[in-house]
Amino acid sequence: MQDLSIDIETYGDVDIKKSGLYKYVEDDSFAVLLFAYAIDFGEVKIIDLAQGERIPKKITDALADDHVTKHAYNASFEFNALKAYGLSVGTRMAWHCTMFHAVYLGYPAGLKATGEALGLAED
């Protein structure tokens, strides 16, 4: 495995827009609900953590491995949320932010807006 693409869905009582990322993920109500991933840009798999499913060991090992490049839209959020969730996530240098790449190429910063600009279907 060289690349691991990640997207998570979370819940928290704290309003992230008012309080910021760190207060959001450090609050007792914070939870990671869904963990979606793809290995080497292959098939997307979704782990429903809210229903008791667990992230496979090879994926948690890859998260901790700085030789595996992690890709996420707004990678800072995924990095800090997964770290707060208790996973080893390696160093920030192993993470690539696809939102940054989109903005660098002139696309809007929001995921929905970037998808619309690229003509992608919502799903």
Side-chain angles (χ1 to χ4, degrees):
M1 178 185 323
Q2 293 181 356
D3 294 277
L4 180 63
S5 300
I6 302 162
D7 184 36
I8 62 173
E9 297 302 323
T10 65
Y11 171 81
D13 290 334
V14 172
D15 184 341
I16 193 170
K17 291 180 182 177
K18 291 182 181 177
S19 299
L21 170 62
Y22 296 107
K23 287 191 179 194
Y24 177 75
V25 300
E26 291 172 358
D27 188 75
D28 289 339
S29 67
F30 171 76
V32 178
L33 305 175
L34 296 172
F35 181 94
Y37 69 93
I39 297 170
D40 294 330
F41 307 105
E43 177 186 354
V44 175
K45 297 185 179 172
I46 301 172
I47 308 299
D48 191 341
L49 299 168
Q51 295 300 314
E53 294 179 10
R54 298 205 181 268
I55 301 170
K57 183 173 180 348
K58 75 176 186 177
I59 302 304
T60 58
D61 289 347
L63 281 169
D65 185 347
D66 281 343
H67 293 98
V68 175
T69 302
K70 275 70 77 174
H71 304 267
Y73 197 90
N74 191 1
S76 180
F77 178 82
E78 256 75 358
F79 178 91
N80 286 290
L82 292 172
K83 187 175 177 182
Y85 185 68
L87 294 173
S88 178
V89 293
T91 65
R92 291 180 193 266
M93 296 305 294
W95 287 73
H96 288 199
C97 182
T98 53
M99 179 175 70
F100 174 82
H101 292 285
V103 171
Y104 180 79
L105 294 171
Y107 291 101
L111 183 58
K112 182 178 180 182
T114 300
E116 289 173 353
L118 291 169
L120 299 175
E122 195 170 308
D123 63 338

